[in-house]
Amino acid sequence: MALRNMQLNFLAPAPLKILTVALLLTTACAHSTTLVEKDGSYATVPLEKDKVVIKVVQNLTRNLQDFPTVSEGLAHNLEQMTTLTKQACSAGKKPDFILFNEFPLTGYSDGKREEKLKFTIEIPGAETDALGKLAKECDTYIIFGSYARDDAWPGHILSLNAVIGRDGKVAEKFWKTRNVKNYQPDMEIPTTTIENVYDRYVAMYGEEALFPVLRTEYGNIAVSTVQRDTMVFNAFAMRGVEIMFRTSTLFSKLDVMATASFNNFYSAMSNINFPADSEWAHMGGQSLIVNPQGQVLAEDPSNNEGIIEAEIDIAALRKGRKIPDYPMDVTRPVFSQYVPAFPLNHLDVPVEELPDNGAEMKVLMDKVSRWK
């Protein structure tokens, strides 16, 4: 108590300016990186042209698990992507962005973790090198999702979205922010996301990588597999996203339209196709492109292979644009008391303790849940 009084007596005569500087320095140390500008502006690079063309591919992908070998499966799926990319580049207007679905190279896989890791790719890797040649030939960005592995994250199955630039190189890879919770009564999604290894992720890549923005000559873009997570897309919008590319399987059309409208950005969603006799066939395809008012610019309502396109006026969107004006101050008292059901870092465990499958992930999630 005496020490506290001594500190207060010492500070009492200090000029207000010194106290203000001290407080500012304390705040700066908490967040050394500027993630959102205070005046509503956001960083950009000059546009190469006023209007850009987005093309979205939807197709049926075979699971690597269904092939005699992984290499045969990757070769087959890569050839399919190659054919569809060439179609997108040769028909209609020249594309500036070509968007594929959540896993056009790997498909989905089940089983134990060690087995599923075999059905992942590295980014960058041989497959992105091959797609990079196509991107360079077509002079376009190619965007796709994939299950991936990374030597920096041994044992972890990552859900990434890769952006290959016009120069043929991987321009950015976007981690999935978080998984849907309460996915099924007896299982949870066991892939690694930013949320479930948060502290280590930030230590390795920095706070800017939480909601990264790729500033291109065709506009500010980001890619996400998240769905029905309003606040995630609010954060991307605060960071200056102008085109939100999405790769969510079993997605909601309303979610895509509403999210674009709420956040004043263009958005495109690519969905996979399901076999006609699948119980999920009614949820396949239906890929779409929407404008910042949530209006549909292009859509394939079928569950068939196809390519849709839309030309967007990115210069008109950017003119005088600010980030959305969210009601942060009035909602802060409520949000400050909200406690999420699941804590951060729940999958940052030793490799041998990583859940082997969805059922084990369910056990882990139930164990760490704050909402008992």
Side-chain angles (χ1 to χ4, degrees):
M1 186 67 178
L3 178 60
R4 182 183 176 189
N5 287 336
M6 183 177 70
Q7 290 173 329
L8 290 175
N9 289 334
F10 172 75
L11 288 173
L16 180 60
K17 184 182 294 185
I18 295 177
L19 291 177
T20 302
V21 170
L23 289 171
L24 288 173
L25 286 173
T26 302
T27 304
C29 290
H31 292 284
S32 57
T33 303
T34 299
L35 300 177
V36 184
E37 298 296 338
K38 294 180 180 179
D39 63 357
S41 64
Y42 57 94
T44 61
V45 297
L47 294 173
E48 187 172 294
K49 54 185 179 179
D50 291 348
K51 297 181 179 181
V52 297
V53 175
I54 296 172
K55 294 197 178 185
V56 177
V57 178
Q58 65 179 39
N59 65 286
L60 175 64
T61 300
R62 288 184 60 186
N63 302 330
L64 293 183
Q65 214 165 18
D66 298 336
F67 289 88
T69 66
V70 172
S71 59
E72 288 180 65
L74 282 173
H76 175 277
N77 290 341
L78 180 58
E79 180 58 33
Q80 184 181 41
M81 284 188 74
T82 299
T83 299
L84 290 167
T85 298
K86 289 181 177 180
Q87 287 180 14
C89 291
S90 60
K93 295 181 178 179
K94 178 199 160 305
D96 297 303
F97 297 103
I98 300 176
L99 175 67
F100 283 87
N101 61 62
E102 187 175 2
F103 28 62
L105 284 170
T106 64
Y108 180 77
S109 61
D110 53 22
K112 294 188 174 182
R113 180 172 294 271
E114 185 177 357
E115 182 71 9
K116 293 180 71 170
L117 278 166
K118 299 175 184 177
F119 309 122
T120 61
I121 65 170
E122 292 181 309
I123 300 175
E127 292 74 30
T128 56
D129 287 346
L131 291 170
K133 292 178 181 178
L134 289 172
K136 200 169 183 179
E137 290 172 7
C138 187
D139 189 31
T140 187
Y141 286 86
I142 297 177
I143 305 168
F144 68 97
S146 186
Y147 289 130
R149 62 185 182 276
D150 189 326
D151 289 342
W153 297 88
H156 288 265
I157 300 170
L158 309 178
S159 178
L160 303 183
N161 284 290
V163 179
I164 301 176
R166 297 161 65 191
D167 60 359
K169 300 176 182 178
V170 175
E172 185 63 88
K173 52 183 179 182
F174 292 82
W175 277 50
K176 189 175 184 180
T177 310
R178 66 196 298 261
N179 285 325
V180 172
K181 307 300 189 298
N182 302 311
Y183 182 61
Q184 291 183 18
D186 58 350
M187 71 163 290
E188 294 284 4
I189 301 172
T191 53
T192 299
T193 65
I194 294 175
E195 180 185 64
N196 57 34
V197 292
Y198 182 93
D199 287 345
R200 184 146 63 107
Y201 179 91
V202 171
M204 291 175 67
Y205 308 120
E207 286 188 321
E208 280 197 338
L210 290 171
F211 296 94
V213 179
L214 181 58
R215 299 179 181 95
T216 80
E217 67 280 17
Y218 297 150
N220 287 1
I221 73 169
V223 194
S224 179
T225 306
V226 167
Q227 53 183 319
R228 298 183 180 89
D229 255 326
T230 305
M231 295 176 71
V232 167
F233 294 104
N234 293 160
F236 273 117
M238 289 184 206
R239 296 276 288 126
V241 168
E242 297 169 324
I243 309 173
M244 190 77 231
F245 290 102
R246 303 180 61 178
T247 59
S248 304
T249 305
L250 305 178
F251 78 97
S252 160
K253 177 180 177 180
L254 178 61
D255 175 30
V256 178
M257 297 168 64
T259 298
S261 176
F262 295 159
N263 295 293
N264 188 33
F265 51 45
Y266 284 98
S267 190
M269 171 72 83
S270 175
N271 192 21
I272 65 172
N273 297 140
F274 288 96
D277 59 352
S278 167
E279 63 176 307
W280 302 106
H282 67 289
M283 295 290 288
Q286 305 175 62
S287 301
L288 72 161
I289 304 169
V290 302
N291 68 14
Q293 290 73 50
Q295 299 165 332
V296 176
L297 301 178
E299 181 179 16
D300 186 337
S302 75
N303 180 40
N304 302 319
E305 184 177 284
I307 301 172
I308 59 173
E309 69 176 78
E311 184 176 63
I312 66 171
D313 194 333
I314 193 68
L317 172 71
R318 180 174 290 185
K319 187 176 182 180
R321 183 176 185 263
K322 298 283 189 177
I323 62 174
D325 180 17
Y326 299 109
M328 297 295 291
D329 289 338
V330 72
T331 59
R332 186 171 284 109
V334 174
F335 280 104
S336 66
Q337 294 183 24
Y338 177 81
V339 178
F342 303 99
L344 298 172
N345 305 310
H346 52 264
L347 212 56
D348 191 8
V349 298
V351 174
E352 62 273 12
E353 295 180 20
L354 287 169
D356 225 10
N357 50 39
E360 289 190 11
M361 187 68 178
K362 171 67 174 174
V363 172
L364 172 64
M365 298 297 280
D366 287 347
K367 180 180 178 181
V368 302
S369 175
R370 297 179 176 122
W371 294 3
K372 304 291 187 182

